[in-house]
Amino acid sequence: MHIQPTQTPPAEGCIDTQVVGNILLIGINRPAKRNGWTPAMFRQLAEAYTRLDDEPELRIGVLHAFGDHFTAGLDMPSIQAHLERGEKVVPEGLVEPHDFGKPGYRRRTKPVVAAVKGICFTVGIELMLGADIVIAGEDCRFSQKEVQRGLMAGAGATLRMSQRAGLGNAMLLLLTGDDFDAPTAYRLNFVQKLVPNDQVLKEAMAIAERIAEQAPLAVQATRLNTIKAVEEGPAAAVADFPAIGQRIFASEDWAEGVRSFVEKRKAVFTGR
């Protein structure tokens, strides 16, 4: 599957969004610089994630990249001053793309599938771990190399690598900054599926289409409750069951799900 960008990117790059059915394609568009991240790109990514949450007809996002690589990481010259001054590259009030639940930012409610290929370094790993499902090319290369540049990985790797892979495996990668390959990323649960390089976006779209067919309210509730169980523990997630059930059972989609079961047909959900 090949998607063309809708615009020629400016020097600082951009995030290119396209709607396909109920899916928002979110494309990293700075291929001439191996999709190195600039402040403008971070702001636009947050705006795209906010759009995904705010537009009712959109049910899921697919984060992908134009060119041969997902990203080589931060464009250090363009972002150095922001880091040193502690400036926020994402304005408050938007959906924060790494999905931390930081004060001042919204948390994403709708799912995102990440399609990664080529080089996926530093912030690329953190963005894919902030998504919900990751599809990677078989030849994809990864590295969380901040320590090699005098930095700490500050966008989620120190949290999520250990959650997915265990403390020792996370320390090995975080403290050396060494490269690792796609089979290793799969083994460590950073990636859910490996496919040939030219099939990455096609596979991500197929999974997104399958999820988009399901009841949107149920998908969102399931996603948020699963994350809560990881972040706050099983008891916190279980405590939300009654309120979630009340919302679900009052929805039109629940009624449609029951009707489709009785009538032995595929359900058609509206998100209401």
Side-chain angles (χ1 to χ4, degrees):
M1 182 176 187
H2 187 66
I3 299 290
Q4 292 287 346
T6 62
Q7 59 183 306
T8 300
E12 69 270 23
C14 65
I15 300 300
D16 187 284
T17 56
Q18 302 177 52
V19 176
V20 178
N22 298 113
I23 300 168
L24 182 64
L25 277 164
I26 304 170
I28 307 167
N29 191 12
R30 201 186 182 213
K33 295 293 186 180
R34 298 197 299 180
N35 290 322
W37 283 85
T38 65
M41 293 166 68
F42 278 113
R43 185 190 70 252
Q44 291 175 33
L45 181 63
E47 290 169 349
Y49 275 52
T50 303
R51 176 186 178 187
L52 172 64
D53 257 21
D54 286 349
E55 295 188 12
E57 67 274 15
L58 297 175
R59 299 187 179 183
I60 187 168
V62 172
L63 179 65
H64 69 106
F66 294 103
D68 296 329
H69 303 290
F70 190 66
T71 179
L74 296 177
D75 182 322
M76 293 304 295
S78 74
I79 210 162
Q80 179 182 3
H82 289 76
L83 294 175
E84 292 172 353
R85 293 194 295 262
E87 294 177 355
K88 297 175 179 178
V89 293
V90 174
E92 289 191 0
L94 298 177
V95 172
E96 200 284 309
H98 296 95
D99 199 37
F100 290 145
K102 293 170 66 174
Y105 295 97
R106 291 165 50 185
R107 290 206 81 167
R108 174 168 47 86
T109 63
K110 297 178 184 177
V112 167
V113 179
V116 303
K117 59 184 178 180
I119 291 171
C120 181
F121 288 170
T122 60
V123 69
I125 296 175
E126 293 174 310
L127 285 170
M128 81 178 196
L129 293 179
D132 300 292
I133 298 167
V134 183
I135 311 302
E138 293 171 336
D139 292 339
C140 197
R141 290 168 47 218
F142 302 87
S143 178
Q144 201 72 55
K145 58 173 72 266
E146 279 87 348
V147 293
Q148 297 179 3
R149 303 290 184 264
L151 291 171
M152 183 195 83
T158 57
L159 311 176
R160 290 178 172 135
M161 278 190 167
S162 58
Q163 286 176 349
R164 308 285 180 90
L167 186 59
N169 287 324
M171 290 297 189
L172 177 62
L173 300 176
L174 288 166
L175 300 183
T176 64
D178 286 348
D179 285 16
F180 55 100
D181 60 15
T184 300
Y186 178 77
R187 176 175 60 83
L188 295 178
N189 298 316
F190 301 157
V191 167
Q192 281 62 67
K193 201 166 189 179
L194 299 180
V195 299
N197 297 331
D198 62 354
Q199 299 295 307
V200 171
L201 184 55
K202 180 180 179 181
E203 183 64 25
M205 286 293 290
I207 291 172
E209 288 167 357
R210 184 77 180 110
I211 293 171
E213 293 175 346
Q214 313 312 316
L217 298 178
V219 166
Q220 293 167 36
T222 299
R223 175 185 182 272
L224 292 173
N225 192 255
T226 303
I227 290 171
K228 190 164 194 174
V230 171
E231 293 181 347
E232 300 182 30
V238 169
D240 284 350
F241 286 179
I244 294 171
Q246 286 182 345
R247 292 196 302 272
I248 294 294
F249 297 142
S251 71
E252 294 178 18
D253 279 353
W254 161 249
E256 165 63 8
V258 173
R259 283 194 303 269
S260 67
F261 176 82
V262 171
E263 296 169 6
K264 296 181 172 57
R265 61 171 175 81
K266 184 177 180 180
V268 179
F269 296 113
T270 62
R272 296 191 294 271

